[in-house]
Amino acid sequence: MLGKSRLRSIFYAYICNILLILFTLRCQTIRYCHTMSHDKFTFKCFEVHQDRCAMKVGTDSVLLGAWLDIPPSGTILDIGTGTGILPLMVAQRDETVQITAIEIDKQAARQAQENIERSMWRSRIEVVHADFTQVAASLNKKYDCIISNPPYFQQSLLSPDEARAVARHTTALSFDSIFSLSREIVTAGGRLSLVIPADLYNEVNHTAMLYGWGATRLTHVRTTTRKQPKRVLCEWQRNYFSACTEDTITIHAPSGEYSEQYIALTRNFYLHF
């Protein structure tokens, strides 16, 4: 039978382990939140400066950039590039693609250009400061893949800051515009990939079908297994009306740490994976 001193030692060791786990999780949370809101976000192969961009680097863009299918030796168009994170992720994943990144906000476009100039893929990414709805018809080439982390707060009040309002609301870029204009500049069999709120999917997919886009792949994103999906990673193809593959990714494991799914998807980008 264990003596009192031995039981006390075991109890103290148990408490210390619990405190250590809680401290570690808190440090991870603080580091994550700090990094995501800081003026510079450092990935494994590139840096993203974001002090002049209304919308900072976020999980949505990282998920989309790591998830989307990239056509080999293809041409990619990023609508509303912001910091330029999506073109940088795509360029890292495939050394053969050529990417055009359109951004309506002047300061964001300049910062995206600077971020790309600091990268090793500057020769394969072109930044265009323009309103996609105004220049789509004048783009003189077709794209194999069109991508975007689009504005989505359709029903919420506009932000006080004009730049943030443009970046976060569909006042400047509607889903209707994305699907209608993209069909004119995509190659035969070309695809369109977006990340959107889960509660908007049915409405957005209805709009897509009106313009001849069929869903080919969906990944529902939830923060934990106990919660409903908050985002959907979506891929559509022109004139495709066949089977759509669906799956789910969970960001956090029951322990509170990042799940193996999320780590496997993003490990080539995040420093701490």
Side-chain angles (χ1 to χ4, degrees), residues 23-63:
F23 177 75
T24 301
L25 290 176
R26 178 165 176 78
C27 287
Q28 289 178 343
T29 302
I30 290 172
R31 179 178 62 176
Y32 175 75
C33 292
H34 173 73
T35 306
M36 294 297 277
S37 62
H38 199 264
D39 287 344
K40 182 177 72 172
F41 195 111
T42 303
F43 292 91
K44 285 183 177 178
C45 298
F46 58 89
E47 288 184 343
V48 173
H49 293 251
Q50 53 186 4
D51 55 290
R52 285 176 282 144
C53 292
M55 298 306 297
K56 311 302 183 184
V57 171
T59 305
D60 288 1
S61 288
V62 175
L63 280 168

Side-chain angles (χ1 to χ4, degrees), residues 205-206 208-216 236-244:
N205 190 51
H206 177 71
M209 290 189 294
L210 289 177
Y211 290 103
W213 294 91
T216 57
W236 290 272
Q237 185 176 358
R238 284 284 287 134
N239 300 320
Y240 177 90
F241 300 101
S242 189
C244 174

Side-chain angles (χ1 to χ4, degrees), residues 28-226:
Q28 289 178 343
T29 302
I30 290 172
R31 179 178 62 176
Y32 175 75
C33 292
H34 173 73
T35 306
M36 294 297 277
S37 62
H38 199 264
D39 287 344
K40 182 177 72 172
F41 195 111
T42 303
F43 292 91
K44 285 183 177 178
C45 298
F46 58 89
E47 288 184 343
V48 173
H49 293 251
Q50 53 186 4
D51 55 290
R52 285 176 282 144
C53 292
M55 298 306 297
K56 311 302 183 184
V57 171
T59 305
D60 288 1
S61 288
V62 175
L63 280 168
L64 180 61
W67 172 87
L68 65 91
D69 282 335
I70 301 174
S73 302
T75 52
I76 313 290
L77 174 66
D78 179 24
I79 304 171
T81 197
T83 61
I85 181 175
L86 284 176
L88 288 166
M89 292 182 72
V90 171
Q92 177 183 327
R93 289 181 55 197
D94 191 306
E95 297 181 354
T96 65
V97 295
Q98 296 290 325
I99 308 157
T100 301
I102 293 181
E103 174 55 48
I104 189 173
D105 180 73
K106 185 177 182 179
Q107 290 302 315
R110 284 181 176 177
Q111 188 145 63
Q113 182 65 55
E114 292 167 6
N115 287 331
I116 288 159
E117 287 297 324
R118 279 189 290 266
S119 78
M120 65 185 78
W121 310 292
R122 64 183 70 89
S123 63
R124 296 193 288 116
I125 305 173
E126 177 190 13
V127 177
V128 178
H129 170 224
D131 181 344
F132 174 68
T133 63
Q134 300 298 316
V135 303
S138 63
L139 294 172
N140 55 6
K141 64 179 177 181
K142 300 280 188 178
Y143 296 92
D144 300 302
C145 181
I146 299 175
I147 61 177
S148 183
N149 176 13
Y152 49 78
F153 293 111
Q154 294 177 302
Q155 305 301 326
S156 61
L157 295 175
L158 291 176
S159 309
D161 180 79
E162 181 182 3
R164 190 171 180 83
V166 170
R168 292 181 71 100
H169 292 269
T170 54
T171 54
L173 179 66
S174 66
F175 289 110
D176 187 89
S177 296
I178 291 174
F179 289 109
S180 63
L181 296 174
S182 293
R183 70 175 180 174
E184 304 301 327
I185 56 173
V186 74
T187 58
R191 308 201 175 200
L192 171 62
S193 295
L194 309 176
V195 54
I196 60 174
D199 59 2
L200 285 184
Y201 173 72
N202 288 336
E203 176 185 345
V204 174
N205 190 51
H206 177 71
T207 301
M209 290 189 294
L210 289 177
Y211 290 103
W213 294 91
T216 57
R217 190 163 65 108
L218 301 176
T219 294
H220 304 274
V221 182
R222 58 187 180 184
T223 53
T224 70
T225 56
R226 295 183 177 183

